[in-house]
Amino acid sequence: MQLSDLFTARMREAAPPLWGPGDANGPDRIALAFGDADPTMFPHKDLIDAVAEVLATDIDGALNYGPTYPGLVRVAAERLRQRGISATEQNTLICYGSSQIIGLLPQVLIDPGDTIIVEAPTFLGAVMQFRRSGARLVGVPVDAEGMDVDALETTLAELRAAGVRPKIIYTIPTFQNPTGVTMSLERRRRLLDLAITYGVLVVEDDAYSDLRFRGDAVAPIAALDTAGWVIHLRTFSKIFAPGVRLGWASGPQALIDRLAMCKVEGGSGPLMTRVVAQFAQDGRLDTHIADLRTHYGEKCDLMLAAITREIPTATTVRPDGGFFVWLRLPPGISATALVPVAAQHGVDVLAGPRCFADGSGDEYVRLAFSYIPAAQIGEGVARLGAAIRSLALARL
Ligand SMILES: Cc1ncc(COP(=O)(O)O)c(C=O)c1O
């Protein structure tokens, strides 16, 4: 008898974990693989002030068990209303990062074997959590305008013909992870229409929309939804600090109520919820976001210029915001083969297949410009270019 006999069937499956050892940005190489925040942008002084203010005024609430701090629910719902989403404090749920909601959704919606539609490519953390729930993942391609809604319609029709009603369409419509592309308004409308027609929940993961460097905002899918088929996810990770582990969701009340039932830990961090709410007061958070936009926009442009200079035969779509550039490698270069060679050249990048539910996408790599200092971006891309050239030579 073995301990592993006790694991559920889906945990006994041999599916490799998507995160592995070394899946963190380390100091010894130029780290373009993961979308960590830029530590130089953490609002040190304001954060220390906010902690001191909370502890001076509400130490009992901050350090004990308790219900979710209503001050942060107000901040979260208000940020959604500013985008035209009709969120209330009742249908807004604070959580330990949007990752927690992505993990809880299958508890409410997925029986093993149920189908989830994801973008191809998509956020690898979501693939990991959905897969662990026993769901079958079906990918729909993404192009320069976001998820291909014609392909979505075909997929939905084929699934229906096979007697399958998918439970979720998971989309990152704005500054998508990993491609950086933004779904057009027309496609958002179409996606919503299709979801309603086929009776599928839309999970709109909006982790990056606050970080727009250029162009005009596009309405969230949740703002177009009057029928109650969209849950909208946001996070403080990208606009404040991932380490606070706070995000929020808003959507149909019955779904939010059931997600809340799955959260038994009490208050999602009574101290940090108060600190973030305190920081968000008096426009401090919005001022900080404005600084981040300028900063990340400059880093994005540095990376795009370096790619044109160093890897002219690669192609990419210029992102208008977010953390990532998605690179289509020069013809014949495999991302899986490139990653270890790039590491030898002193740069880490993420291989495209990590972002596809079916493991395809070997002609792509994802480059994060978010974490490393601006001064290292040119050198990081130059090292990647050298790695590509050495791999191409080795293949001759
Ligand atoms: C699209 C997307 N959703 C969710 C997350 C996770 O965010 P959080 O830190 O709130 O769990 C990330 C983080 O990389 C992301 O890229």
Side-chain angles (χ1 to χ4, degrees), residues 97-99 102 123 170 172 177 205 207-208 235 237-238 245-246:
S98 43
S99 299
I102 295 170
F123 169 43
Y170 172 73
I172 310 161
N177 178 359
D205 185 346
Y208 297 98
T235 177
S237 292
K238 318 295 171 184
R245 303 308 307 128
L246 286 172

Side-chain angles (χ1 to χ4, degrees), residues 12 65 83 101 143 158 162 243 325 376 381:
R12 279 198 303 270
Y65 288 121
R83 292 284 180 78
I101 297 288
D143 62 23
E158 284 172 0
V325 170
Q376 283 188 5
V381 175

